[in-house]
């Protein structure tokens, strides 16, 4: 390695959890800079050339970049414009915002990090808790009533009970099962599920692995009942999205699906914003066609200041109520702290010429 200090950029650490860890490095060996503000993605269709150049100007000097999973994308063109980059540190065990082929072609190692306090979860326990919280908050009007009390008001609209109601989970993987189990066992909700490849046999196996009976002994009703997409959207009282974003699943939920929902239904997305056609969801909510939406994820993050999600007066003039959180599903202090500890470990491994832990290619 060069005798001059390695230039390290730490991106998108909104809470500053990384700072004491990176600042503890030997300053004669590492020159660390922190950038808490996330610039618009290089490959976003609305990103101007000026903003692209601004991102290049920020990143170009650095030998090592630390990034948080899926906050700043690294497409091929951006990677090609960073001649000094020698190591990329990310979080999680996958990051779909990275062009790993381009990194590999350049010979730039990419290392991930896992949640050692909850092995194998990659933040899924945190996301499950956040999703359940959002369902309850939307059903009980928590955010609106809190604001009313703090601004001189009192009760707003009645809450709705979830007992005996139907949860529709779009996707029944690890997160979908975890949320469905909680809502079923704790709140007595019925569960229906759909995804393009989901079978009843697979859903029954998921119930078994979750420690649940395959069906109700008295009624014979399936614990996780697989239905058509149309039946899920038209019958569920709460629709919760739990799909992995891919080229095939992008835009999987559109206007025709959302317009089938009950007027009293709640739509929840803690997975990825682009799974839903955003314009269609905005239209349905602006027209007040469902009770509420609770969203932790968006097409463009962080949300621009002029985003309709920020500027619309939700819950007024016939519009649906909308609960928004800033992609907090996996943002827990212990998890993030552990991830940055592993980034430091990998940085020091790389400097010593040792094998990286959790190389992504």
């Amino acid at each position: 390695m060069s005798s001059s200090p390695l230039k390290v950029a730490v991106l998108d650490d909104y809470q500053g959890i990384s700072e004491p860890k990176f600042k503890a490095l030997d300053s004669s060996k590492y020159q660390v800079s922190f950038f808490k503000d996330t610039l618009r993605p290089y490959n976003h269709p609305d990103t101007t050339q000026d903003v692209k150049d601004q991102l290049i100007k920020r990143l170009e000097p650095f030998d090592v970049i630390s990034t948080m999973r899926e906050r700043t994308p690294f497409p091929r063109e951006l990677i090609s414009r960073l001649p000094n980059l020698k190591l990329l540190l990310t979080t999680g065990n996958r990051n779909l915002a990275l062009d790993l082929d381009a990194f590999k072609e350049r010979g730039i190692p990419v290392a991930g990090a896992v949640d050692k306090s909850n092995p194998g979860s990659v933040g899924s326990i945190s996301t499950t808790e956040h999703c359940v919280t959002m369902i309850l908050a939307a059903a009980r009007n928590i955010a609106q009533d809190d604001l009313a009390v703090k601004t001189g008001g009192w009760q707003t609209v009645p809450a709705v009970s979830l007992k005996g109601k139907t949860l529709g989970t779009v996707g029944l993987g690890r997160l979908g099962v975890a949320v469905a189990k909680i809502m079923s066992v704790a709140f007595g909700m019925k569960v229906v599920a759909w995804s393009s490849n989901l079978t009843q046999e697979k859903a029954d196996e998921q119930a078994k692995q979750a420690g649940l009976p395959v069906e109700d002994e008295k009624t014979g009703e399936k614990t996780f009942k697989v239905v058509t997409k149309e039946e899920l959207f038209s019958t569920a009282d709460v629709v919760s999205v739990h799909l992995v974003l891919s080229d095939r699943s992008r835009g999987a939920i559109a206007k025709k699906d959302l317009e089938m929902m009950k007027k009293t239904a709640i739509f929840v997305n803690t997975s990825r914003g682009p799974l839903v056609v955003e314009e269609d969801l905005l239209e349905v909510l602006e027209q007040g066609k469902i009770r509420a939406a609770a969203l932790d994820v968006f097409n463009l993050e962080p949300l621009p200041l002029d985003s309709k999600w920020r500027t619309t007066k939700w819950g007024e003039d016939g519009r649906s109520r909308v609960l928004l959180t800033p992609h907090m599903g996996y943002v827990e202090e212990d998890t993030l702290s552990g991830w940055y500890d592993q980034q430091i470990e990998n940085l020091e491994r790389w400097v010593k010429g040792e094998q990286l832990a959790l190389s992504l290619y």
Side-chain angles (χ1 to χ4, degrees), residues 149-191:
V149 174
K150 289 175 178 176
T151 54
W154 197 234
Q155 294 183 7
T156 54
V157 300
V160 293
S161 173
L162 298 175
K163 183 175 176 58
K165 302 289 179 63
T166 298
L167 170 70
T169 175
V170 182
L172 196 64
R174 180 175 53 199
L175 287 168
V177 169
V179 171
K181 178 178 180 179
I182 292 170
M183 301 313 294
S184 172
V185 174
F187 299 101
M189 294 192 80
K190 301 173 184 177
V191 178

Coordinates of all heavy atoms in Angstrom, one line a residue, residues 149-191:
V149 N -53.3 15.9 19.5 CA -53.1 16.2 21.0 C -52.1 17.3 21.1 O -52.2 18.2 21.9 CB -52.8 15.0 21.8 CG1 -52.5 15.3 23.2 CG2 -53.9 14.0 21.7
K150 N -51.0 17.2 20.4 CA -49.9 18.2 20.6 C -50.2 19.5 20.0 O -49.5 20.5 20.3 CB -48.6 17.6 19.9 CG -48.0 16.4 20.7 CD -46.8 15.8 20.0 CE -46.2 14.7 20.8 NZ -45.1 14.0 20.0
T151 N -51.2 19.6 19.1 CA -51.5 20.9 18.5 C -52.9 21.4 19.0 O -53.5 22.2 18.3 CB -51.6 20.8 17.0 OG1 -52.4 19.7 16.6 CG2 -50.2 20.5 16.4
G152 N -53.3 21.0 20.2 CA -54.5 21.5 20.8 C -55.8 20.8 20.5 O -56.9 21.2 21.0
G153 N -55.7 19.7 19.7 CA -56.9 19.0 19.4 C -57.1 17.8 20.3 O -56.5 17.7 21.3
W154 N -58.0 16.9 19.9 CA -58.3 15.7 20.7 C -58.5 14.6 19.7 O -57.7 14.4 18.8 CB -59.5 16.0 21.6 CG -59.7 15.0 22.7 CD1 -60.8 14.3 23.1 CD2 -58.7 14.7 23.7 NE1 -60.5 13.5 24.2 CE2 -59.2 13.7 24.6 CE3 -57.4 15.1 23.9 CZ2 -58.5 13.2 25.7 CZ3 -56.7 14.5 25.0 CH2 -57.3 13.6 25.9
Q155 N -59.6 13.8 19.9 CA -59.8 12.6 19.0 C -60.0 13.0 17.5 O -60.6 14.1 17.3 CB -61.0 11.8 19.5 CG -60.7 11.2 20.9 CD -61.9 10.3 21.3 OE1 -62.8 10.1 20.5 NE2 -61.9 9.9 22.5
T156 N -59.6 12.2 16.6 CA -59.8 12.4 15.2 C -60.9 11.5 14.7 O -62.1 11.8 14.7 CB -58.5 12.3 14.4 OG1 -57.9 11.0 14.7 CG2 -57.5 13.3 14.8
V157 N -60.5 10.3 14.1 CA -61.5 9.4 13.6 C -61.4 8.1 14.4 O -60.4 7.8 15.1 CB -61.3 9.1 12.1 CG1 -61.4 10.4 11.3 CG2 -59.9 8.4 11.9
P158 N -62.4 7.3 14.4 CA -62.4 6.0 15.2 C -61.3 5.1 14.6 O -61.0 5.1 13.4 CB -63.7 5.4 15.0 CG -64.6 6.5 14.6 CD -63.7 7.5 13.8
A159 N -60.7 4.3 15.5 CA -59.7 3.3 15.1 C -60.5 2.1 14.6 O -61.7 2.0 14.7 CB -58.8 2.9 16.3
V160 N -59.8 1.1 14.0 CA -60.4 -0.1 13.6 C -59.7 -1.3 14.2 O -58.5 -1.3 14.4 CB -60.3 -0.3 12.0 CG1 -61.2 0.8 11.3 CG2 -58.9 -0.3 11.5
S161 N -60.5 -2.3 14.6 CA -60.0 -3.5 15.2 C -59.5 -4.4 14.1 O -60.1 -4.5 13.0 CB -61.1 -4.2 16.0 OG -60.6 -5.5 16.5
L162 N -58.4 -5.2 14.4 CA -57.9 -6.1 13.4 C -58.4 -7.6 13.7 O -58.2 -8.4 12.9 CB -56.4 -6.1 13.5 CG -55.8 -4.7 13.1 CD1 -54.2 -4.7 13.3 CD2 -56.1 -4.4 11.6
K163 N -58.9 -7.8 14.9 CA -59.3 -9.2 15.3 C -60.4 -9.7 14.3 O -61.4 -9.1 14.0 CB -59.9 -9.2 16.7 CG -60.3 -10.6 17.1 CD -60.8 -10.6 18.6 CE -61.3 -11.9 19.0 NZ -60.2 -13.0 18.9
G164 N -60.1 -10.9 13.7 CA -61.0 -11.5 12.8 C -60.9 -11.0 11.4 O -61.6 -11.5 10.5
K165 N -60.1 -9.9 11.2 CA -60.0 -9.3 9.8 C -58.9 -10.2 9.0 O -58.3 -11.1 9.6 CB -59.5 -7.9 9.9 CG -60.5 -7.0 10.7 CD -61.8 -6.8 10.0 CE -62.8 -5.9 10.8 NZ -62.2 -4.5 11.0
T166 N -58.8 -9.8 7.8 CA -57.9 -10.6 6.9 C -56.7 -9.8 6.5 O -56.8 -8.7 6.0 CB -58.7 -11.0 5.6 OG1 -59.8 -11.8 5.9 CG2 -57.8 -11.7 4.6
L167 N -55.5 -10.4 6.8 CA -54.2 -9.9 6.3 C -53.9 -10.6 5.0 O -53.9 -11.8 4.9 CB -53.1 -10.2 7.3 CG -51.7 -9.9 6.9 CD1 -51.5 -8.4 6.8 CD2 -50.7 -10.5 7.8
G168 N -53.6 -9.8 4.0 CA -53.2 -10.3 2.7 C -51.7 -10.0 2.5 O -51.3 -8.8 2.5
T169 N -50.9 -11.0 2.5 CA -49.4 -10.8 2.3 C -49.0 -11.1 0.9 O -49.3 -12.2 0.4 CB -48.6 -11.6 3.4 OG1 -47.2 -11.5 3.1 CG2 -49.0 -13.1 3.4
V170 N -48.5 -10.1 0.2 CA -48.0 -10.3 -1.1 C -46.6 -10.7 -1.0 O -45.6 -9.9 -0.8 CB -48.1 -8.9 -1.9 CG1 -47.7 -9.1 -3.3 CG2 -49.6 -8.4 -1.9
G171 N -46.4 -12.0 -1.1 CA -45.1 -12.7 -0.9 C -45.1 -13.4 0.5 O -45.6 -12.8 1.4
L172 N -44.6 -14.6 0.5 CA -44.7 -15.4 1.7 C -43.3 -16.0 2.0 O -43.1 -17.1 2.3 CB -45.7 -16.4 1.7 CG -46.2 -17.1 3.0 CD1 -46.8 -16.1 3.9 CD2 -47.1 -18.3 2.8
G173 N -42.3 -15.1 1.9 CA -40.9 -15.5 2.3 C -40.7 -15.3 3.8 O -41.7 -15.3 4.5
R174 N -39.5 -15.1 4.2 CA -39.1 -15.0 5.6 C -39.9 -13.8 6.3 O -40.5 -14.0 7.3 CB -37.6 -14.8 5.7 CG -37.2 -14.6 7.2 CD -35.6 -14.6 7.2 NE -35.1 -13.6 6.3 CZ -33.9 -13.5 5.9 NH1 -33.0 -14.4 6.2 NH2 -33.5 -12.6 5.1
L175 N -39.9 -12.7 5.6 CA -40.6 -11.5 6.2 C -42.1 -11.7 6.2 O -42.8 -11.3 7.1 CB -40.1 -10.2 5.5 CG -38.7 -9.8 5.7 CD1 -38.3 -8.7 4.8 CD2 -38.6 -9.2 7.2
G176 N -42.6 -12.1 5.1 CA -44.0 -12.3 5.0 C -44.6 -13.3 6.0 O -45.6 -13.0 6.6
V177 N -43.8 -14.4 6.2 CA -44.2 -15.4 7.2 C -44.1 -14.8 8.6 O -45.0 -15.0 9.4 CB -43.3 -16.6 7.1 CG1 -43.5 -17.5 8.3 CG2 -43.6 -17.4 5.8
A178 N -43.1 -14.0 8.9 CA -42.9 -13.5 10.2 C -44.0 -12.5 10.6 O -44.6 -12.6 11.7 CB -41.5 -12.8 10.3
V179 N -44.4 -11.6 9.6 CA -45.5 -10.7 9.9 C -46.8 -11.4 10.0 O -47.6 -11.1 10.9 CB -45.5 -9.6 8.8 CG1 -46.8 -8.8 8.9 CG2 -44.3 -8.7 8.8
A180 N -47.0 -12.4 9.1 CA -48.3 -13.1 9.1 C -48.5 -13.9 10.4 O -49.6 -13.9 11.0 CB -48.3 -14.1 7.9
K181 N -47.4 -14.5 10.9 CA -47.5 -15.2 12.2 C -47.8 -14.3 13.4 O -48.7 -14.6 14.2 CB -46.1 -15.9 12.5 CG -46.1 -16.7 13.8 CD -44.7 -17.3 14.0 CE -44.7 -18.1 15.4 NZ -43.4 -18.8 15.6
I182 N -47.2 -13.1 13.4 CA -47.5 -12.2 14.5 C -49.0 -11.7 14.4 O -49.7 -11.7 15.4 CB -46.6 -11.0 14.5 CG1 -45.2 -11.4 14.8 CG2 -47.1 -9.9 15.4 CD1 -44.1 -10.4 14.6
M183 N -49.4 -11.3 13.3 CA -50.8 -10.8 13.1 C -51.8 -11.9 13.3 O -52.9 -11.6 13.8 CB -50.9 -10.2 11.7 CG -49.9 -9.0 11.4 SD -49.8 -7.8 12.8 CE -51.4 -7.1 12.8
S184 N -51.5 -13.1 13.0 CA -52.4 -14.2 13.2 C -52.5 -14.6 14.7 O -53.6 -14.7 15.3 CB -52.0 -15.4 12.4 OG -52.7 -16.6 12.7
V185 N -51.3 -14.8 15.3 CA -51.3 -15.3 16.7 C -51.7 -14.2 17.7 O -52.5 -14.4 18.6 CB -49.9 -15.9 17.0 CG1 -49.8 -16.3 18.5 CG2 -49.6 -17.1 16.2
A186 N -51.1 -13.0 17.5 CA -51.3 -12.0 18.5 C -52.7 -11.3 18.3 O -53.2 -10.8 19.3 CB -50.2 -10.9 18.4
F187 N -53.1 -11.1 17.1 CA -54.3 -10.3 16.8 C -55.5 -11.1 16.2 O -56.5 -10.5 15.9 CB -53.9 -9.1 16.0 CG -52.9 -8.2 16.6 CD1 -51.6 -8.3 16.2 CD2 -53.3 -7.4 17.6 CE1 -50.6 -7.5 16.9 CE2 -52.3 -6.6 18.3 CZ -51.0 -6.6 17.9
G188 N -55.3 -12.4 16.0 CA -56.4 -13.2 15.5 C -56.8 -12.9 14.1 O -58.0 -13.0 13.7
M189 N -55.9 -12.4 13.3 CA -56.2 -12.1 11.9 C -56.1 -13.4 11.0 O -55.3 -14.3 11.3 CB -55.2 -11.1 11.3 CG -55.3 -9.7 11.9 SD -54.4 -8.5 10.9 CE -55.6 -8.2 9.6
K190 N -57.0 -13.5 10.0 CA -56.9 -14.6 9.0 C -55.8 -14.1 8.0 O -55.6 -12.9 7.8 CB -58.2 -14.8 8.3 CG -59.3 -15.1 9.3 CD -60.7 -15.1 8.5 CE -61.8 -15.4 9.5 NZ -63.1 -15.4 8.8
V191 N -55.1 -15.1 7.4 CA -54.0 -14.8 6.5 C -54.3 -15.4 5.2 O -54.5 -16.6 5.0 CB -52.7 -15.3 7.1 CG1 -51.6 -14.9 6.1 CG2 -52.4 -14.6 8.4

